[in-house]
Amino acid sequence: MGISLFKILPENLFGVLASPVKEIYSHILLRIYDMSRIYGFGIPRENLVEEIQQYLELLETGNLPSEGAEPPLPEGQNQKEFSSTLTPPLSRLAQLLEKDLRDSLDEVYKAGPMSAGSTAVRPVVVLESLPLSHVGSDGEAPVVLRSARERANDIIRKLKRTGWIDIEVRSDYREVVVIPDYSMEILRALHRIASQEKPSYRGYVYGTYAALVEAAEPRADSVDVAYDATNELIDYLHSLYQNIKRYTKKMLAQKRPQDILAVHFLEYQQEILDKAYHQLKTSDSVYKYRSKILSTVRAWKNDPTIISVLAQSALDEKLFTGSLAEARSDILSKLSFIENSYANIDHILNEIDRKNEQYARASLQQVKYFLNNSRDTEGALIQLLCLMGYSLERGLMGKRTVFPVDRLFSLVDVELLDSASLYTPRKARTHTPVELWDDEPDDAEVEAAHRWLAKSLFQRISYEEVDNWVVKKLGHRDSGRASEMNLESMDDFVRLIYAAAYSQNKRVSYEIEPLDTIAESAGGMFRFTDMIITRKHGISRQKHPQKHSGSNRKERPNAELVPRVREHELKTAGGLFEDS
């Protein structure tokens, strides 16, 4: 079922932010948000009126800091016509505000009698003796130029009509301005955007891990905490990706090497690298905690008893309102979201890495571009483009002006060497062919080479070979303990070591979860930490063809089966095996 947004929000809520004086309204709304954090629950109306009044007085005198270009005049009017409707002359924004407030009053009057449920307040304008200059030249009704305080009250009434604020009367008959919940959420987001406030990274991955894996028992609040942390992680990663793009554009817009370096070291490194990117690669790495998060989520999902316990816990703790079946559906939905998010998070992490590499490469190229003072063709072209851009920006030349490029190049005379020169010309080297060695190797050398090659190939144990061995040992089961796999020979024991080492690789179709028990096999010949080997969900893998076949494998000694694997893969299996 779709969500109707304007069943919650007032219909004209965003009208003030689309008006010609949106700069004034946005400033006042953000100031109301700041005051709400100072006064707590309820801003005294008189204090808010004084705050808006001071702002309008500064606006009229032109003492506010420039916040951008002035807004355009109303369509169909020039400055003289528009200014003649108001006296004394005000700044452009103040004029537009006065007209917007008068138009808003006209809309209220045209609305007719107020309905019983209407929240609009009918403004009262008192016309006193006015100078003749306040009467319109076309005979229309006089335009009353209200004071800044009167306009401040009009602004408060308009913000109340549009739903941004509400006014309550307390027990001591004081009026206070309060902000509705929906308005508070919007103002919080606008304040964060206006102040360019960046959310700090809060260890979302470890928070999910702690809530699920380190929980003493399955609880509904643990699922909620993990669900919220995963939601925030995904949102933060998308925000991080967009921020890297934004800083790349900002860096490319810089015109001086020192500005590029300032953006990189004072902004990008502090806001992107130090605050978030470094944590994602070290202390809060997804790859560090993902395996156990996924195994816990999948174990809970696949156990109906745990799902029932979680659903009942949600109902008992008032975390969910509804039937037990609906609570179970909600728990399964949240666990599925966590599982899918962590299972498919590689794509966005790879894109973030790629954008970070693009930024680093682009910033280096920009610095090299601006620091290139060489006299070769590349340096001359760079200087030419810089000079042309400088001239175009300052109006020193038109777009079709022929640019004097002769000032950028140093022309020198070039003369040919004469026959009397002391220069000794280089001589071409002569090639003396060497007789090729065409002796054929004897049979013993060929046989020795074959044995060496066969031994090298036999000593290599690939991912496919280990994966096929695990699939064969599991048979029709989805999971099983290593101690139940009937390890009979050194060959099987070596492949079990490789299975543990390769378990983190994407090429294999199984996962391994170490246990706390010590297992023995082959009559005590092998002793190792027991583990659960589970097929990966959603992966259908055909059995890999064996690369080596024949009877040579059984004839060679067991000692030749000891593999040589990469050091970082063996670390994965470290601590699981020991000699008998």
Side-chain angles (χ1 to χ4, degrees):
M1 181 182 296
I3 299 176
S4 179
L5 181 63
F6 285 95
K7 285 185 177 179
I8 303 173
L9 301 180
E11 184 177 355
N12 297 323
L13 181 69
F14 298 105
V16 295
L17 298 180
S19 68
V21 285
K22 52 183 175 291
E23 292 90 349
I24 295 178
Y25 287 126
S26 62
H27 178 93
I28 292 173
L29 285 172
L30 292 176
R31 185 56 189 151
I32 291 175
Y33 175 76
D34 289 336
M35 293 179 69
S36 70
R37 297 194 292 179
I38 296 174
Y39 286 97
F41 187 70
I43 308 169
R45 176 167 179 160
E46 282 300 315
N47 294 14
L48 181 58
V49 170
E50 292 178 4
E51 185 75 21
I52 299 176
Q53 177 184 349
Q54 293 177 7
Y55 172 71
L56 295 178
E57 290 172 350
L58 292 175
L59 182 68
E60 293 176 12
T61 59
N63 292 329
L64 288 176
S66 176
E67 298 182 0
E70 288 190 332
L73 289 170
E75 185 177 356
Q77 286 188 335
N78 56 36
Q79 178 67 42
K80 183 176 180 180
E81 292 171 346
F82 186 70
S83 300
S84 64
T85 63
L86 297 170
T87 54
L90 305 175
S91 68
R92 177 88 57 81
L93 279 176
Q95 296 175 23
L96 289 174
L97 175 64
E98 183 69 24
K99 184 177 185 303
D100 183 77
L101 291 175
R102 286 191 286 112
D103 291 344
S104 180
L105 294 179
D106 291 342
E107 293 177 4
V108 175
Y109 284 131
K110 291 177 182 178
M114 297 193 322
S115 60
S118 174
T119 59
V121 178
R122 187 76 72 201
V124 179
V125 180
V126 180
L127 300 180
E128 299 177 350
S129 57
L130 298 172
L132 294 179
S133 60
H134 283 259
V135 180
S137 58
D138 55 358
E140 294 181 354
V143 177
V144 180
L145 185 62
R146 295 178 298 269
S147 65
R149 186 174 185 84
E150 291 173 310
R151 291 197 300 277
N153 279 290
D154 279 347
I155 290 174
I156 292 177
R157 283 191 286 266
K158 181 168 185 176
L159 293 179
K160 182 179 185 299
R161 276 198 310 275
T162 54
W164 282 102
I165 61 174
D166 197 5
I167 298 177
E168 297 180 354
V169 179
R170 296 292 168 81
S171 58
D172 55 357
Y173 303 103
R174 289 188 306 113
E175 288 188 335
V176 294
V177 176
V178 296
I179 303 177
D181 54 350
Y182 59 83
S183 179
M184 180 66 76
E185 292 294 331
I186 297 174
L187 290 177
R188 184 182 294 113
L190 294 177
H191 183 271
R192 188 163 56 244
I193 294 172
S195 61
Q196 296 185 351
E197 176 185 343
K198 306 295 185 304
S200 58
Y201 190 80
R202 300 177 182 175
Y204 303 118
V205 181
Y206 179 76
T208 304
Y209 171 84
L212 296 176
V213 181
E214 296 184 350
E217 58 183 10
R219 293 175 55 89
D221 55 353
S222 299
V223 176
D224 284 351
V225 170
Y227 176 78
D228 293 340
T230 304
N231 250 326
E232 292 178 359
L233 172 66
I234 299 302
D235 291 345
Y236 191 89
L237 291 179
H238 283 287
S239 175
L240 178 62
Y241 176 81
Q242 295 299 330
N243 281 333
I244 294 177
K245 288 177 58 178
R246 182 171 60 85
Y247 275 110
T248 302
K249 292 180 180 179
K250 183 176 182 179
M251 180 271 299
L252 293 175
Q254 306 305 314
K255 303 299 184 184
R256 300 184 305 168
Q258 54 267 40
D259 295 335
I260 297 174
L261 295 176
V263 170
H264 178 77
F265 289 106
L266 300 182
E267 298 182 34
Y268 185 80
Q269 182 169 347
Q270 295 179 9
E271 298 295 331
I272 302 297
L273 297 181
D274 294 344
K275 285 188 176 180
Y277 193 78
H278 179 69
Q279 290 188 53
L280 281 172
K281 294 298 181 182
T282 54
S283 61
D284 205 49
S285 172
V286 171
Y287 304 106
K288 181 178 180 181
Y289 300 107
R290 178 169 63 177
S291 177
K292 290 191 176 181
I293 290 174
L294 288 176
S295 62
T296 303
V297 169
R298 288 165 180 168
W300 289 8
K301 277 183 60 181
N302 297 330
D303 192 333
T305 303
I306 293 180
I307 296 298
S308 299
V309 170
L310 291 173
Q312 189 62 48
S313 173
L315 294 176
D316 294 342
E317 298 174 13
K318 308 302 181 184
L319 300 177
F320 184 83
T321 56
S323 64
L324 181 61
E326 292 173 337
R328 286 162 59 178
S329 177
D330 180 69
I331 292 292
L332 284 172
S333 174
K334 291 177 179 178
L335 291 176
S336 297
F337 174 78
I338 297 171
E339 180 184 10
N340 294 333
S341 297
Y342 276 94
N344 303 317
I345 204 172
D346 289 329
H347 174 69
I348 187 172
L349 292 177
N350 293 336
E351 285 297 314
I352 290 173
D353 290 340
R354 186 176 64 86
K355 282 296 178 184
N356 183 56
E357 292 173 1
Q358 287 182 352
Y359 171 86
R361 185 165 56 252
S363 60
L364 177 61
Q365 290 175 351
Q366 282 289 95
V367 172
K368 291 173 65 177
Y369 170 81
F370 286 112
L371 294 180
N372 192 331
N373 293 321
S374 61
R375 304 300 298 177
D376 57 6
T377 303
E378 181 182 0
L381 288 175
I382 290 175
Q383 294 181 44
L384 173 62
L385 293 174
C386 290
L387 186 56
M388 291 178 66
Y390 177 86
S391 302
L392 286 172
E393 287 179 356
R394 287 157 178 77
L396 302 178
M397 59 176 291
K399 293 184 178 180
R400 298 184 178 274
T401 305
V402 178
F403 194 78
V405 298
D406 55 321
R407 291 182 294 171
L408 296 175
F409 301 95
S410 300
L411 303 179
V412 296
D413 294 333
V414 177
E415 298 180 356
L416 298 176
L417 298 173
D418 58 12
S419 58
S421 173
L422 299 177
Y423 171 73
T424 302
R426 300 177 62 183
K427 296 180 179 180
R429 294 182 179 180
T430 58
H431 174 66
T432 304
V434 179
E435 184 179 358
L436 295 177
W437 177 63
D438 57 356
D439 293 342
E440 292 291 336
D442 56 24
D443 294 340
E445 291 176 336
V446 173
E447 183 65 24
H450 285 173
R451 286 196 305 270
W452 177 84
L453 179 60
K455 182 178 179 180
S456 300
L457 292 175
F458 287 149
Q459 288 182 343
R460 295 178 58 188
I461 299 180
S462 64
Y463 293 102
E464 292 82 1
E465 186 176 355
V466 173
D467 195 49
N468 286 334
W469 180 83
V470 172
V471 171
K472 180 179 178 181
K473 288 293 185 181
L474 285 176
H476 297 292
R477 296 176 298 171
D478 287 336
S479 64
R481 292 174 177 260
S483 57
E484 301 170 354
M485 288 190 172
N486 194 18
L487 306 180
E488 298 177 347
S489 64
M490 179 64 72
D491 197 354
D492 288 338
F493 187 60
V494 170
R495 276 160 177 73
L496 181 61
I497 296 175
Y498 268 94
Y502 290 164
S503 62
Q504 299 295 326
N505 196 283
K506 296 180 181 178
R507 303 183 193 176
V508 298
S509 59
Y510 62 88
E511 296 175 330
I512 282 183
E513 179 183 357
L515 301 176
D516 296 331
T517 59
I518 302 299
E520 293 184 355
S521 186
M525 181 182 298
F526 312 122
R527 191 166 183 264
F528 53 90
T529 301
D530 204 359
M531 63 194 80
I532 297 178
I533 303 177
T534 307
R535 297 179 191 269
K536 289 184 178 177
H537 290 269
I539 297 179
S540 179
R541 193 181 188 93
Q542 299 294 332
K543 189 173 182 180
H544 303 289
Q546 293 291 341
K547 292 187 176 181
H548 313 299
S549 61
S551 60
N552 292 336
R553 179 178 297 275
K554 293 183 180 179
E555 295 174 358
R556 54 193 172 87
N558 288 336
E560 293 181 5
L561 286 173
V562 179
R564 288 178 279 181
V565 297
R566 292 185 294 270
E567 181 181 354
H568 72 276
E569 292 172 331
L570 280 177
K571 287 180 179 179
T572 307
L576 298 179
F577 305 94
E578 59 183 78
D579 296 333
S580 175

